[in-house]
Amino acid sequence: MTDQGADSRPHISAAVVVQRGRVLMVRRRVAEGQLSWQFPAGKIEPGESPEGAAVRETLEEAGLSVEAVRSLGERIHPDTHRHMSYIACEVVSGTAHVADSDEVAEVTWCAHSEISAYVPTGLFPPVQKYLDDVLLK
């Protein structure tokens, strides 16, 4: 459970989905600061866990059914100033596509060598370490 009462910033959960040596990225219709490409993510609803929100947001935004594997950490995002939770997820079923065209312009499976082109400001270090570990095997 997440208690957002003490902090007025929304708590966002991001799904770090890896499949076949690539990580899922979505391009938002409206960029948040310098962020255009990012992980499927959205606000954690009242009573929802970060893991549950990551699973729900991936289905809503990219049409993929995933399961949460583990938490990769939390931080206040330096660009958006939102409270972020990062959740490693594995694909259960489906094919990634733009499932919410109001929010998402396109989806891609990004190779490790392409991450810096999609996210030039760099990833949260625990997320980068996880991707280094799983994508560079």
Side-chain angles (χ1 to χ4, degrees), residues 11-63:
H11 189 165
I12 306 297
S13 186
V16 182
V17 182
V18 172
Q19 184 179 51
R20 295 188 196 104
R22 293 178 176 261
V23 63
L24 180 65
M25 303 289 286
V26 299
R27 186 170 64 81
R28 301 271 169 217
R29 289 225 172 261
V30 177
E32 295 184 79
Q34 297 181 50
L35 295 177
S36 176
W37 286 95
Q38 53 193 252
F39 303 116
K43 190 171 119 182
I44 299 171
E45 301 296 338
E48 189 175 42
S49 68
E51 293 81 4
V55 167
R56 177 181 51 76
E57 289 290 340
T58 304
L59 182 61
E60 289 176 2
E61 294 181 357

Side-chain angles (χ1 to χ4, degrees), residues 15 17 24 54-56 58-59 64-68 89-93:
V17 182
L24 180 65
V55 167
R56 177 181 51 76
T58 304
L59 182 61
L64 276 180
S65 291
V66 299
E67 66 181 359
C89 296
E90 292 180 350
V91 175
V92 174
S93 64

Side-chain angles (χ1 to χ4, degrees), residues 96-113:
H97 64 280
V98 175
D100 182 349
S101 59
D102 289 339
E103 282 192 38
V104 176
E106 59 186 306
V107 301
T108 193
W109 289 100
C110 175
H112 186 275
S113 62

Side-chain angles (χ1 to χ4, degrees), residues 76-132:
I76 301 301
H77 196 284
D79 292 330
T80 65
H81 307 291
R82 291 181 171 161
H83 182 180
M84 297 290 303
S85 291
Y86 297 87
I87 309 298
C89 296
E90 292 180 350
V91 175
V92 174
S93 64
T95 301
H97 64 280
V98 175
D100 182 349
S101 59
D102 289 339
E103 282 192 38
V104 176
E106 59 186 306
V107 301
T108 193
W109 289 100
C110 175
H112 186 275
S113 62
E114 301 168 326
I115 292 171
S116 62
Y118 285 93
V119 187
T121 57
L123 297 175
F124 179 42
V127 172
Q128 184 66 60
K129 181 179 179 341
Y130 171 76
L131 292 174
D132 292 348

